[in-house]
Amino acid sequence: MKINGSEIRPGYVIEHAGGLWAAVKTAHVKPGKGGAFNQVELKNLIDGTKLNERFRASESVERIHLDLNDYQFLYAEGENLVFMDNESYEQLELQKDFVGDRAAFLQDGMKVTVQSHEGRPIGISLPDQVVLAVAEADPVVRGQTAASSYKPAVTENGLRVMVPPFVEAGERIVVDTNEITYVRRAD
């Protein structure tokens, strides 16, 4: 679907310069001299490179619609992660590098959304929050300032997270998968 350059919004996926790009930030600029344009920060969906580009209203770009499919994480096998389509039960293998650092959050049976274009996976969405057990937590240091003080802890999957002083080893906590930060104690 063709759209004007001024209609690009964050989250849109467009075809530009022979690749697939996701709009990260947009800013409409009206300079004192000349025509208005849309300053767009783009991120390449294949290799992750970033690009700043100006699009005028007179330019048209191809907006791409991605297919979103629900998958279930089954297991890790070497450098591959195996997922199963919830509808067709077909299995999909992705490299750990494809998922990145957030692969540590994958748990057996976890539901994820795989974004694909023309049958080729180009992105994966994990749940925003996961529940993890704290494996190690440093002891509380007495006499710290009255301001909120956090201490380092290691979760069951080996991630280091800063937690409040009252969290001890063995407790279950909720961790944000995007920011890799403590949210709250699990119920």
Side-chain angles (χ1 to χ4, degrees):
M1 174 173 88
K2 293 273 188 191
I3 60 172
N4 291 336
S6 62
E7 296 175 354
I8 298 172
R9 303 278 179 267
Y12 281 20
V13 176
I14 64 169
E15 190 171 334
H16 176 68
L20 292 178
W21 300 82
V24 179
K25 292 182 196 169
T26 62
H28 293 282
V29 179
K30 174 70 175 106
K33 190 174 184 181
F37 58 88
N38 193 5
Q39 182 74 34
V40 182
E41 182 180 321
L42 299 168
K43 182 178 181 187
N44 190 307
L45 292 176
I46 307 302
D47 60 15
T49 57
K50 289 196 173 182
L51 172 72
N52 279 316
E53 196 72 47
R54 290 181 177 183
F55 293 97
R56 301 203 179 278
S58 60
E59 295 179 57
S60 64
V61 294
E62 186 72 27
R63 181 173 178 200
I64 305 295
H65 288 283
L66 300 177
D67 298 324
L68 302 176
N69 298 318
D70 291 331
Y71 281 82
Q72 181 177 354
F73 176 67
L74 296 178
Y75 57 89
E77 182 177 53
E79 287 299 310
N80 291 331
L81 302 171
V82 181
F83 299 89
M84 179 183 67
D85 188 322
N86 289 338
E87 294 174 10
S88 68
Y89 302 110
E90 291 180 16
Q91 291 189 358
L92 171 70
E93 288 189 19
L94 298 175
Q95 297 284 326
K96 281 187 180 177
D97 295 345
F98 181 80
V99 180
D101 295 340
R102 299 184 325 149
F105 289 113
L106 289 171
Q107 300 169 347
D108 291 344
M110 178 182 278
K111 304 273 190 259
V112 299
T113 303
V114 175
Q115 304 155 345
S116 57
H117 178 257
E118 296 176 352
R120 180 175 172 222
I122 59 171
I124 187 166
S125 299
L126 301 180
D128 289 336
Q129 298 177 345
V130 295
V131 177
L132 298 171
V134 176
E136 300 173 24
D138 289 354
V140 177
V141 177
R142 298 283 177 219
Q144 288 183 336
T145 61
S148 172
S149 59
Y150 280 66
K151 64 181 183 179
V154 178
T155 59
E156 61 188 323
N157 59 358
L159 286 175
R160 295 188 66 78
V161 180
M162 297 300 284
V163 297
F166 56 80
V167 174
E168 299 295 329
E171 289 190 51
R172 297 181 60 74
I173 60 172
V174 177
V175 178
D176 185 302
T177 59
N178 299 312
E179 303 292 322
I180 309 178
T181 56
Y182 167 87
V183 177
R184 60 182 163 77
R185 278 182 170 159
D187 298 331

